Amino acid sequence: MTQLISLHTAAKLDLAAVFLLEQQVFGAHIYPDFFFRQVLDCWPDGLMLAKTASGKLVGYQLAVKAAKSDDYWIWSLAVSPDFRGKGIGRQLIQAGIARAPREVKRILLTVAPENPARQLYESCGFTAAGFEADYFGAGAGRMVMALSLSAYMADKQPA
């Protein structure tokens, strides 16, 4: 597993690098650059970054509280292709779980069923909660996955 010097919330000076990573990981189907700036205004603690010891951005997670008070959504998780398989995605997910507001009972995310990240989510305790065929438009189906925080915390307790 890669040891990271920093795993922290984003600042304005990080936004250009976040957008470049967004383009690198997701290609044409991405959030626009101004979206990340607005994220800092609306959810300042929601954009968590993973950087190497040299300060290179290698991953991010965007997580926000839902309108339903006991739900929390991971909207996006991106890890640079050169740094995949090194535990960075898992570190981001675990840090995001730890930072979820106290009243949250469930963390949700969506993933394309064929996306290899699905295995990471399952290994972190997320389970299938449904499927929507046209989640992002015609033919852009997504599996909804959920993590029960009470079950997650029970699994983390010593036996």
Side-chain angles (χ1 to χ4, degrees):
M1 182 191 303
T2 299
Q3 294 299 316
L4 299 175
I5 291 297
S6 61
L7 193 60
H8 60 86
T9 54
K12 280 187 208 179
L13 60 93
D14 296 310
L15 295 181
V18 170
F19 185 63
L20 286 174
L21 182 61
E22 175 81 359
Q23 292 172 313
Q24 180 186 24
V25 171
F26 298 115
H29 191 81
I30 61 172
Y31 289 118
D33 57 350
F34 63 84
F35 172 77
F36 293 104
R37 174 59 185 94
Q38 292 174 318
V39 163
L40 289 183
D41 290 335
C42 296
W43 308 287
D45 294 331
L47 185 56
M48 188 178 315
L49 307 181
K51 293 184 179 183
T52 64
S54 65
K56 178 180 179 172
L57 178 69
V58 296
Y60 84 80
Q61 176 182 266
L62 174 58
V64 299
K65 193 140 174 4
K68 186 177 174 195
S69 65
D70 54 356
D71 283 349
Y72 193 63
W73 278 87
I74 295 176
W75 273 359
S76 188
L77 177 75
V79 175
S80 171
D82 295 340
F83 288 84
R84 290 185 184 152
K86 300 180 186 298
I88 294 167
R90 181 174 308 282
Q91 287 181 7
L92 285 164
I93 290 169
Q94 289 171 341
I97 291 168
R99 294 175 74 162
R102 289 182 186 244
E103 64 274 13
V104 168
K105 294 180 181 154
R106 182 173 70 157
I107 298 178
L108 299 147
L109 59 83
T110 66
V111 63
E114 69 280 357
N115 186 331
R118 180 177 165 193
Q119 295 168 340
L120 168 64
Y121 303 140
E122 289 171 344
S123 74
C124 289
F126 286 84
T127 58
F131 179 80
E132 191 170 327
D134 298 322
Y135 191 91
F136 284 129
R142 302 292 271 188
M143 174 178 283
V144 178
M145 299 187 79
L147 173 72
S148 163
L149 283 184
S150 60
Y152 177 83
M153 297 310 284
D155 285 346
K156 299 298 176 196
Q157 297 299 320

